[in-house]
């Protein structure tokens, strides 16, 4: 790990409170390490309860001014932020790859541009809060709708897309006039801190965007349960999401939960086989499979099953693992040795109950560029067949570069199997038949269904799940619904002191 990528920019601390970096006061330190080789990226002091309280207090102080600002002024600040992010794009990409192990071509071409585009989108969305037109619905009053900011938002972001998830939390919240305290994963806090600094540099007032770096069980739970936090937004596993909901409900906070996924990839027998094979490889391996929308279980109609498996296996074997900063590297390490071991455990248990490991299924020693991979959290892309629908690798979120392929016969069976998990975040259907495609998009229970593609997202459209994948939307105009309160204002237009409806309470007409 080249330590100069990060430099000394975080030596002042890994908490961003009231417009400045400062050290955490918990007397506990944490080492952010490169999952590619275990090298130290940054040593950080973690947040104490007092640090969380200070961050919330800063956000609370900033709320009246920021929520009272015109939508136009908030839009202008976000426009400046988009320009700053564009100027610093290479810096953000380098730090993101250093702390997460992502290949530099992914951070350069996906993570950072996506974040910039999100920022530009919300700069426009800040000026477009929608509501029902004012009208005399009762005949005696004028009714109108106000959309108002909620207050201080406490957000918890995951480690798989540190920069993008920070943006997904911060942007709609502040575009709508809220202030925010964000807790990134302690494994990958650095680009969230850089994003907060960029917000200040764009002229967003001190205290509007705050970042606390700490453990979920301490800083995270303190933030969620804080009396001055009005809303909680969480992205992470379904199990932790349940805990977040329990804590938030104790003070009846609004909650927004984007949780786990187990996306089906349904290939009908009239699909373009080459397109489906290439789509499955890209969709299952993006971010080393650490993506809640990644294709994890492919259902392939029996006529195409063998050729699909052979095609995916061939491409899996050609995927290049290596130094994340080598622009030719396709697949980086998992985020940590712990996560790699978790993925390997799923595969090893599948072997134990008779699965066929068609490709991968092991930790590699050398990369395509000669890099020693034994110090990192690498795992070969793994293709599994020969298991039933009730198998652990089919039902549970693995969060790694593992694709399970199962056959189906009728269209009804394929769609039934696609829906047969607790999750419902994303899915795809592969067919040349318009009616098949429409049926799949109608019947698959997921927040996003792609047809003949899998993974692309756009700022203008919402992201969020069904069932155990949570509720609420990120991105798009729909996300502003999550971060605003709707108020009905009803004003008498008659100027009458004695109204007919009063007589239903007292007196006679």
């Amino acid at each position: 790990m080249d330590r100069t990528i990060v430099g000394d920019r975080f030596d002042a601390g890994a908490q961003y409170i009231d417009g400045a970096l400062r050290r955490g006061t918990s007397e506990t330190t944490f080492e952010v390490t490169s999952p590619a080789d275990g090298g130290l990226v940054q040593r950080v002091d973690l947040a104490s309860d007092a640090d969380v309280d200070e961050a919330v207090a800063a956000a609370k102080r900033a709320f009246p001014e920021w929520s009272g600002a015109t939508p136009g002024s908030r839009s202008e600040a976000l426009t400046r932020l988009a320009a700053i992010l564009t100027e610093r794009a290479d810096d953000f990409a380098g730090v993101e790859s250093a702390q997460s192990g992502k290949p530099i071509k992914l951070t350069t071409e996906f993570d950072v541009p996506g974040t910039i585009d999100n920022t530009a989108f919300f700069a426009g969305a800040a000026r477009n809060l929608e509501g029902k037109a004012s009208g005399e619905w009762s005949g005696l009053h004028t009714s109108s709708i106000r959309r108002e900011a909620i207050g201080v938002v406490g957000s918890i972001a995951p480690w798989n897309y540190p920069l993008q998830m920070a943006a997904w939390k911060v942007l709609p919240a502040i575009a709508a006039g809220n202030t925010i305290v964000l807790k990134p994963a302690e494994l990958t806090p650095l680009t969230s801190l850089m994003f907060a600094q960029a917000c200040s540099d764009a002229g967003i007032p001190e205290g509007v965007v705050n970042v606390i770096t700490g453990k979920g069980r301490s800083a995270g739970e303190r933030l969620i349960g804080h009396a001055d936090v009005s809303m909680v937004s969480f992205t992470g596993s379904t199990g932790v999401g349940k805990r977040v909901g329990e804590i938030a409900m104790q003070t009846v906070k609004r909650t927004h939960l984007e949780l786990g996924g187990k996306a089906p990839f349904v290939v009908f027998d009239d699909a373009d086989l080459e397109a489906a094979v290439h789509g499955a490889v890209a969709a299952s391996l993006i971010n080393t499979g650490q993506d809640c929308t990644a294709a994890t279980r492919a259902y392939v109609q029996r006529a195409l099953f063998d050729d699909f498996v052979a095609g995916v296996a061939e491409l899996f074997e050609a995927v290049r693992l290596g130094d994340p900063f080598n622009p030719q590297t396709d697949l980086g390490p998992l985020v940590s040795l712990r996560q790699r071991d978790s993925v390997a455990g799923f595969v090893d248990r599948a072997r134990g109950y008779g699965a066929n490991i068609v490709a991968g299924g092991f930790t590699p020693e050398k990369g395509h560029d000669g890099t020693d991979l034994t110090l990192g959290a690498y795992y070969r892309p793994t293709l599994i067949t020969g298991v039933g629908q009730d198998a652990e690798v089919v039902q549970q979120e693995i969060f790694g570069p593992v694709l399970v392929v199962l056959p189906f016969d009728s269209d009804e069976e394929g769609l039934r199997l696609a829906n047969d998990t607790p999750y419902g975040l994303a899915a795809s259907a592969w067919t040349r038949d318009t009616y098949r495609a429409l049926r799949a998009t109608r019947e698959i229970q997921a927040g996003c269904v792609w047809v003949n593609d899998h993974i692309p997202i756009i700022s203008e459209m919402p992201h969020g799940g069904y069932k155990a994948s949570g509720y609420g939307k990120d991105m798009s105009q729909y996300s502003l619904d999550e971060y605003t309160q709707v108020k009905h204002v009803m004003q008498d237009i008659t100027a009458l002191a004695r109204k007919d409806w009063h007589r239903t309470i007292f007196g006679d007409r």
Side-chain angles (χ1 to χ4, degrees):
M1 165 63 201
D2 182 0
R3 182 70 177 78
T4 61
I5 294 170
V6 174
D8 60 1
R9 74 183 84 196
F10 302 111
D11 288 354
Q15 318 299 324
Y16 197 85
I17 300 173
D18 215 7
L21 285 170
R22 62 174 72 177
R23 291 187 177 279
T25 61
S26 69
E27 299 184 354
T28 301
T29 60
F30 183 84
E31 291 188 348
V32 178
T33 58
S34 166
D37 60 12
L40 177 68
V41 177
Q42 182 72 41
R43 185 175 290 106
V44 299
D45 297 307
L46 298 182
S48 65
D49 286 354
D51 297 324
V52 176
D53 294 346
E54 284 193 40
V56 173
K60 185 178 180 180
R61 287 192 301 272
F63 178 73
E65 177 188 353
W66 184 247
S67 62
T70 65
S73 64
R74 292 199 293 266
S75 174
E76 289 170 1
L78 289 171
T79 298
R80 292 192 296 270
L81 175 60
I84 289 170
L85 296 175
T86 301
E87 292 170 1
R88 301 175 186 176
D90 289 344
D91 192 25
F92 272 98
V95 176
E96 190 79 330
S97 289
Q99 68 175 353
S100 69
K102 294 171 181 279
I104 193 68
K105 69 177 181 179
L106 183 66
T107 57
T108 301
E109 298 178 30
F110 184 79
D111 296 67
V112 174
T115 301
I116 294 169
D117 186 70
N118 260 252
T119 307
F121 171 82
F122 280 106
R127 306 184 74 151
N128 188 34
L129 294 178
E130 296 178 344
K132 195 168 187 175
S134 297
E136 288 67 51
W137 307 103
S138 75
L140 305 176
H141 311 80
T142 295
S143 287
S144 61
I145 294 294
R146 290 180 58 85
R147 278 193 179 272
E148 298 180 345
I150 296 171
V152 177
V153 179
S155 290
I156 298 179
W159 45 256
N160 58 330
Y161 288 100
L163 175 60
Q164 282 196 308
M165 294 298 99
W168 284 18
K169 299 300 183 191
V170 170
L171 293 170
I174 67 173
N178 302 285
T179 56
I180 189 168
V181 179
L182 171 72
K183 193 202 86 64
E186 66 273 16
L187 290 173
T188 53
L190 304 183
T191 48
S192 297
L193 295 164
M194 292 167 63
F195 189 82
Q197 180 65 66
C199 288
S200 294
D201 294 343
I204 295 172
E206 295 176 357
V208 172
V209 178
N210 307 273
V211 177
I212 55 167
T213 302
K215 297 277 191 178
R217 282 287 185 180
S218 51
E221 294 198 0
R222 179 77 173 187
L223 177 62
I224 296 164
H226 200 288
D228 289 331
V229 169
S230 300
M231 174 183 169
V232 170
S233 177
F234 170 80
T235 297
S237 71
T238 298
V240 178
K242 291 177 181 178
R243 173 65 178 162
V244 169
E246 290 171 359
I247 298 171
M249 185 52 62
Q250 293 173 14
T251 46
V252 199
K253 301 183 196 303
R254 181 181 294 198
T255 55
H256 169 212
L257 303 176
E258 198 267 273
L259 307 177
K262 192 69 180 173
F265 186 102
V266 184
V267 182
F268 294 98
D269 57 14
D270 67 334
D272 181 326
L273 179 62
E274 182 182 20
V277 166
H278 281 257
V281 172
S284 61
L285 299 185
I286 185 171
N287 202 34
T288 317
Q290 299 168 125
D291 186 313
C292 50
T293 64
T296 59
R297 49 193 178 105
Y299 298 101
V300 183
Q301 208 147 23
R302 204 169 294 274
L304 295 184
F305 182 83
D306 289 342
D307 289 340
F308 178 88
V309 170
V312 171
E314 181 180 1
L315 290 182
F316 268 19
E317 296 290 358
V319 168
R320 297 167 296 187
L321 281 66
D323 178 1
F325 286 93
N326 184 330
Q328 291 186 316
T329 293
D330 298 319
L331 200 71
L334 290 127
V335 75
S336 66
L337 294 174
R338 178 181 178 182
Q339 183 63 18
R340 182 203 64 189
D341 292 345
S342 173
V343 171
F346 275 100
V347 177
D348 291 343
R349 290 191 295 275
R351 280 194 183 94
Y353 51 74
N356 180 25
I357 311 302
V358 180
F362 62 92
T363 56
E365 295 184 356
K366 289 288 184 184
H368 71 97
D369 50 5
T371 302
D372 181 1
L373 303 184
T374 59
L375 297 176
Y378 290 88
Y379 199 75
R380 279 299 309 180
T382 299
L383 182 63
I384 299 176
T385 63
V387 297
Q389 178 67 11
D390 60 348
E392 179 190 44
V393 290
V394 176
Q395 293 293 324
Q396 298 300 315
E397 189 172 35
I398 300 173
F399 229 55
V402 179
L403 177 65
V404 185
V405 188
L406 299 91
F408 69 91
D409 293 304
S410 68
D411 289 15
E412 290 75 12
E413 181 188 16
L415 296 174
R416 177 181 60 79
L417 293 172
N419 287 328
D420 185 27
T421 72
Y423 302 103
L425 187 58
S428 63
W430 296 75
T431 176
R432 292 184 174 97
D433 188 312
T434 299
Y435 297 100
R436 262 179 165 169
L438 288 173
R439 180 182 182 185
T441 60
R442 185 174 65 250
E443 295 186 12
I444 292 176
Q445 299 162 0
C448 176
V449 181
W450 293 281
V451 176
N452 296 326
D453 210 342
H454 191 120
I455 283 298
I457 53 176
I458 50 175
S459 298
E460 291 82 0
M461 287 294 161
H463 175 86
Y466 286 24
K467 304 190 293 185
S469 291
Y471 50 83
K473 300 299 180 184
D474 289 310
M475 300 197 300
S476 81
Q477 197 75 29
Y478 292 98
S479 68
L480 294 179
D481 293 343
E482 309 296 329
Y483 292 95
T484 53
Q485 300 186 100
V486 175
K487 178 186 287 184
H488 171 211
V489 177
M490 195 172 192
Q491 184 171 343
D492 173 69
I493 61 172
T494 67
L496 296 175
R498 298 170 180 266
K499 297 182 171 66
D500 283 347
W501 79 267
H502 294 171
R503 305 288 76 81
T504 64
I505 312 302
F506 69 94
D508 299 319
R509 292 186 187 277

